[in-house]
Amino acid sequence: VPLFPIISIIVLAIWGGNALPDILFGLLACILLLLSIFVLFNKQMPLSLEPTARNRGASIVRSIFSILGIGALAFGHYFITKLDLLVWIACPFLLLGCFLVLRVYRTVTWDDVEG
C-alpha cells in the first residue's frame, strides 16, 4: 500500500485516465486482503517470535492462503476488466467488504496481539 501512489502515478502516466477504475479496484482489493489476512490469521507483531518449525509451517500456510486470495481477485479482475462498467460496479462491493472486515479489525485489542 505505501508504494501504491507511486505505482498509480506511473500507470496513469502510461495509460492515462482509462486506468483509473483499475487503480481504484486494486487499492480496494489490497486493503481488503491486508485486513482479511490480519483478522483471519494469528495476530503477531512482525519478527516477534523465534523462528521455530511450527511458526515457519504456519507462515507457509498463511502465505499459500494469501496467494490464493490474491489470485482469486486477480482472476476476477481479469474477467471484469472487459467492461469498465463492471469494474465500477465491483468497487462498491470491495468497499463494503473492506468496511465489514474493518469492523472486525476494530474489535482486536492489544491483548489479542501476540509478541
Side-chain angles (χ1 to χ4, degrees):
V1 174
L3 294 175
F4 207 86
I6 296 168
I7 294 169
S8 298
I9 291 169
I10 293 169
V11 167
L12 286 172
I14 295 171
W15 287 284
N18 292 338
L20 190 59
D22 296 308
I23 291 172
L24 179 62
F25 182 91
L27 178 64
L28 292 173
C30 285
I31 292 170
L32 180 60
L33 282 171
L34 289 173
L35 288 171
S36 298
I37 289 168
F38 183 79
V39 168
L40 293 175
F41 298 109
N42 291 339
K43 290 131 185 91
Q44 300 168 345
M45 297 298 284
L47 305 174
S48 63
L49 301 175
E50 291 184 36
T52 63
R54 182 177 169 200
N55 292 345
R56 286 182 287 202
S59 178
I60 291 171
V61 171
R62 279 194 302 272
S63 298
I64 290 171
F65 279 116
S66 299
I67 290 169
L68 290 174
I70 292 167
L73 282 173
F75 186 74
H77 181 250
Y78 174 76
F79 285 106
I80 67 172
T81 54
K82 303 300 179 193
L83 294 170
D84 280 340
L85 180 61
L86 291 178
V87 176
W88 283 113
I89 291 171
C91 285
F93 290 105
L94 282 174
L95 190 60
L96 177 65
C98 290
F99 174 74
L100 294 174
V101 175
L102 187 61
R103 286 183 52 185
V104 175
Y105 175 80
R106 286 184 179 171
T107 64
V108 176
T109 66
W110 278 108
D111 295 331
D112 298 330
V113 178
E114 297 176 18

